[in-house]
Amino acid sequence: MKVIHSIAELRQALGSSPRGFVPTMGNLHEGHLSLVRQAKESMNGGPVVASIFVNRLQFAPHEDFDTYPRTLERDCALLEGAGCDFVFAPSEAELYPEPQGYKVTPPTELADILEGHFRPGFFTGVCTVVHKLFNIVQPTLAAFGKKDYQQLMVIRRMVAQMALPVQIIGGETTRSELGLALSSRNGYLSEAERAEALRLSRTLKAMIARWQGGERDVAAIEAAALQALRDAGWAPDYMVLRRQRDLGEPVEGAPLVVLGAARLGTTRLIDNLEL
């Protein structure tokens, strides 16, 4: 495996061969590694590039950009073990040599709801860096995790509307043995908080049970989930039942998904479950 820090060196190393791509912000866990293995399998053993870059554009001023864990040496060891061929780890000056005035702004109906509502500008930051990384890496396919459900949808729409020649594949959410969705931010949790964090997925499952049990008052299902978390000391942002295809209001017979985001202590967690 080769670790590369400059755009020019990466392009020279990759040449014209097809390649898979897994963009990350580092501080890797098994979920990231499963995406690398999935990309490798989809490429029939062909080369896979993983990027490690903490993207300032997707952090609000009050968020954890400065304290986000940077663990490059450990990440590279894990990626090599997962079969990654190239790690692209640019500095901020390499990727943004001047202020990024040109940005990719996704449509408000998808980007300003749920995560986008509580993190204004987040998806503009995501789309801008992903589009730029696609231009640099020029992958045949790219893998993103379903844990970031709305992000995966935004990226797929961007690729379709911008006619980018990249196949987007979604990897299933990787969970701990007890069912906690793996996240780089789980490292912020104390031991007691890590056990309590399971309440988020349990609350999503309770929402599913009410829908599958015949209840159709979506507002009541969502309100009960929010209150259950508040009663347990959480600060929820949203707990919603939505259509899988566009995150619109649920309708009978359409594949659905429940999505939630809530703060436990100082750590913000997200999760989702498809019905």
Side-chain angles (χ1 to χ4, degrees):
M1 188 184 76
K2 190 170 185 179
V3 181
I4 297 174
H5 300 283
S6 79
I7 296 171
E9 184 183 353
L10 181 70
R11 285 173 168 163
Q12 183 176 16
L14 291 175
S16 59
S17 62
R19 74 291 307 251
F21 181 42
V22 180
T24 84
M25 292 205 303
N27 193 28
L28 303 183
H29 52 69
E30 178 56 32
H32 297 108
L33 304 181
S34 69
L35 292 177
V36 171
R37 290 190 287 267
Q38 186 176 357
K40 191 78 174 178
E41 182 178 356
S42 298
M43 291 297 300
N44 295 315
V48 169
V49 181
S51 63
I52 297 176
F53 181 71
V54 184
N55 178 40
R56 185 186 297 271
L57 296 186
Q58 67 194 67
F59 287 79
H62 66 280
E63 293 183 327
D64 57 344
F65 174 79
D66 290 327
T67 59
Y68 196 88
R70 275 81 164 170
T71 54
L72 181 60
E73 186 175 344
R74 170 186 171 274
D75 292 342
C76 288
L78 291 173
L79 288 168
E80 186 168 21
C84 186
D85 299 281
F86 297 94
V87 174
F88 179 49
S91 66
E92 193 166 24
E94 179 69 17
L95 205 61
Y96 299 131
E98 58 185 62
Q100 188 69 32
Y102 289 88
K103 295 179 181 178
V104 179
T105 303
T108 58
E109 64 269 17
L110 181 58
D112 288 357
I113 62 173
L114 305 179
E115 284 297 288
H117 175 76
F118 288 95
R119 303 181 70 188
F122 172 71
F123 287 116
T124 294
V126 169
C127 287
T128 300
V129 75
V130 169
H131 199 296
K132 193 163 192 176
L133 288 168
F134 282 173
N135 286 335
I136 293 167
V137 178
Q138 298 187 353
T140 306
L141 62 85
F144 293 81
K146 282 188 178 182
K147 185 181 78 69
D148 296 290
Y149 201 90
Q150 188 177 3
Q151 175 177 279
L152 174 59
M153 184 174 293
V154 168
I155 295 298
R156 279 181 165 151
R157 296 275 181 92
M158 179 185 75
V159 166
Q161 287 202 7
M162 304 294 277
L164 301 178
V166 185
Q167 177 189 353
I168 303 299
I169 58 177
E172 297 298 328
T173 300
T174 303
R175 299 181 180 275
S176 70
E177 291 182 2
L178 296 177
L180 178 63
L182 297 190
S183 167
S184 296
R185 289 187 169 93
N186 288 356
Y188 297 155
L189 298 171
S190 68
E191 186 175 348
E193 287 174 334
R194 192 175 291 269
E196 172 62 23
L198 296 170
R199 188 181 302 274
L200 182 58
S201 61
R202 290 203 301 266
T203 306
L204 292 172
K205 289 175 182 176
M207 295 173 70
I208 292 174
R210 292 179 68 158
W211 177 268
Q212 292 180 336
E215 187 170 348
R216 290 298 179 266
D217 188 338
V218 175
I221 293 173
E222 295 175 349
L226 289 168
Q227 193 59 50
L229 288 177
R230 292 190 186 109
D231 290 345
W234 292 62
D237 285 342
Y238 59 84
M239 298 291 289
V240 298
L241 181 67
R242 293 290 184 266
R243 292 193 298 260
Q244 288 184 23
R245 66 179 175 85
D246 60 3
L247 299 182
E249 295 296 326
V251 294
E252 201 72 41
L256 304 179
V257 58
V258 285
L259 308 99
R263 195 170 299 276
L264 176 60
T266 60
T267 306
R268 188 174 185 273
L269 302 175
I270 66 172
D271 201 353
N272 65 82
L273 295 168
E274 292 180 327
L275 280 71

